Every structure is written in structure tokens, then in C-alpha cells.
Amino acid sequence: QVKGSGRVTNVIGGLTVRSNAVITHTRGLTNGVQLTVAGPAVIDQGGYIDVSSQGLRGGRRDGMSSAGEWWNNGSPVANPYGAATYGETVASANPIYGDPQAPNELGTGGSADSFSAGGFEPHGGNGGGRLFLTAHSLQLNGSLYADGGSAYNLGGNGGSGGAIRVVLDGGTFTGFGLIQAAGGDSNIGRSKGGNGRIAISGYSGNTFTGTFGKAGSILLRPTGGGGELRLDHTSLTITNGQTLVLDSITTGNNGPVTIQNDGTLEMTT
């Protein structure tokens, strides 16, 4: 957390990330980057909040065994599935997890073979990290990244993308920058990491003309609720007793999308 001068709470008056400046967090930090801004948040062109590869460990990284780490009942454990995913379905990977409306988890680490190929030890990619930004408004001309890390040497799977969550307090969402939570690349014959999750909510107006890069789920929700949910090669479960209200659901072209509705899905349009 970052606290403004003279404030008793973890709040800063305003945030500007200038060109060539980068905000990130240490690998494996569960809280990730959390910034609470009373006024506007501005990311200038060439400025970054980049938590790529700062999630759960890939296989054979930072003292990890050949298995990567993934979340199981809220705790990081060895990933028995091999490939890593968060918000996108990937073959031979751990089950997808997290809430597309409020993504708060680190990405999963990809596994690595337990043997070396040609004398080179394989390493799985780390998962992407976590960004949680609360502000009155966001002008994004730079970049927000929570990409998974790539594997290296033969026999490694990529790490999954992480989480980007932005909650605005009635201000506008503007700019021409980039937001992405992509899975990391793999070696030949192994699996790339699944893409992560992005959610932006609470804005009074959205004139953002930039790019949404790869992600398994992207939620865009204005003040008052509803909004657009973009799903790409993933599944959405609405549990018993849950009501999900949306204006629209759109799907990508990387693979099928499955919706299991055990509650109520209310479409406003």
C-alpha cells in the first residue's frame, strides 16, 4: 500500500505515472499492487503498471519443484495438472478460478519437466501478478500489464496471466493505451499459459479508444451496474442464488465459451 503525506489511511490524492516509469510488485505478493487514489489516476504514454511474471512460481523457479504453483482453496500449492490457467481454458491445466467481476488472485505458474533436455534445465513460467487500482477517474495512455511469464529451455509450460482490477468512483475512463493479462509462451510440445482477467467498473463515461489485449475475461461496467462481459475460451458459472446483471456478453475467437447458469442471468438489452 502507498499512503499520502498526512493521511491516516492508505490513500493518495492523485497518481501520475510518467513516461519510462514503472510500478510493479515483488513476485508472489498476494496483495499485489494496491493503489487507492482520491482523485485522478493518469498513466502517461510510455508509463507502465506492469506486474507481469510476479504471480505464483513456475516449475523449478525460486526453489519450486518441477510442478508450478496454483491456487487451491485460497492457498498456493503444487500444480498437479502441468499447464497453468486463470481465466482461460487450456488443455491439461488446472481448473479456471476467480471472479470475472472482481479478479483478485495471482496467476498460476506453469510446470516444467523433471528431467533436463540436452543438459539444459527447463523452467516453467511464473504466473502474472495482481493490480487493484481504485481512483476517481482513469486516463490511460500508457500500459497496464499482468502477463504470465514464458517458459525457457525445452520442457516448460507458460505461466497464466494475472489480474487487473480497476474500480472508479464515478469519474471517466479515457485514453488510448493498452490493458493486457496474457498467458506466457511455452516450449515446443508444451502448453502456453491461460490468459488472465480484467475488470473495470464504476465509471460515469467511457471514451477509452485504446487496446484490450489478451484476457480470458474482460468486464466493463459503468456506474449503476450492467455492463459488457467479454469472454474468450473460458467458462462462466452462475451459482445457485446468484444474480448476474449484464447489458451484453460477447465472445472471442480463441476457443469455445461455456456458461453454466444455476442462478439468474439478467440481460438488460
Side-chain angles (χ1 to χ4, degrees):
Q1 292 278 10
V2 178
K3 182 167 62 177
S5 176
R7 294 180 181 267
V8 296
T9 58
N10 294 320
V11 177
I12 55 179
L15 172 69
T16 300
V17 182
R18 299 295 189 192
S19 180
N20 297 318
V22 180
I23 296 176
T24 188
H25 67 80
T26 55
R27 194 215 55 77
L29 183 65
T30 304
N31 288 335
V33 170
Q34 295 192 41
L35 295 168
T36 303
V37 185
V42 178
I43 317 298
D44 287 343
Q45 186 173 13
Y48 300 86
I49 301 180
D50 187 353
V51 296
S52 298
S53 300
Q54 301 298 79
L56 299 181
R57 293 176 291 177
R60 297 195 178 199
R61 290 184 186 264
D62 298 330
M64 192 63 192
S65 67
S66 59
E69 285 182 304
W70 77 294
W71 288 111
N72 186 13
N73 295 322
S75 299
V77 298
N79 184 358
Y81 296 92
T85 193
Y86 181 14
E88 178 195 10
T89 302
V90 176
S92 302
N94 58 276
I96 66 172
Y97 58 95
D99 183 354
Q101 301 179 86
N104 290 320
E105 300 85 5
L106 300 174
T108 299
S111 68
D113 287 347
S114 58
F115 57 87
S116 300
F120 297 97
E121 184 177 271
H123 290 73
N126 289 337
R130 176 192 177 196
L131 166 63
F132 184 16
L133 170 64
T134 302
H136 175 67
S137 61
L138 174 61
Q139 179 182 329
L140 177 62
N141 294 327
S143 303
L144 305 181
Y145 284 111
D147 293 346
S150 297
Y152 70 88
N153 292 338
L154 292 177
N157 296 283
S160 80
I164 296 175
R165 183 183 180 191
V166 178
V167 177
L168 301 181
D169 183 23
T172 56
F173 174 37
T174 64
F176 51 81
L178 169 67
I179 309 174
Q180 179 169 284
D185 291 332
S186 65
N187 300 131
I188 298 173
R190 297 296 183 268
S191 294
K192 81 171 193 68
N195 297 325
R197 298 189 185 276
I198 298 169
I200 300 173
S201 62
Y203 50 83
S204 58
N206 177 5
T207 59
F208 180 71
T209 58
T211 301
F212 286 96
K214 294 180 179 180
S217 64
I218 300 173
L219 175 71
L220 299 174
R221 173 172 285 162
T223 55
E228 175 188 359
L229 180 60
R230 304 177 185 179
L231 301 173
D232 197 0
H233 198 196
T234 188
S235 61
L236 171 68
T237 299
I238 304 168
T239 59
N240 185 27
Q242 178 187 5
T243 298
L244 177 60
V245 180
L246 294 168
D247 298 328
S248 64
I249 297 176
T250 59
T251 59
N253 55 11
N254 287 323
V257 170
T258 302
I259 298 177
Q260 179 175 331
N261 184 11
D262 297 323
T264 301
L265 175 59
E266 181 179 332
M267 305 300 295
T268 63
T269 56

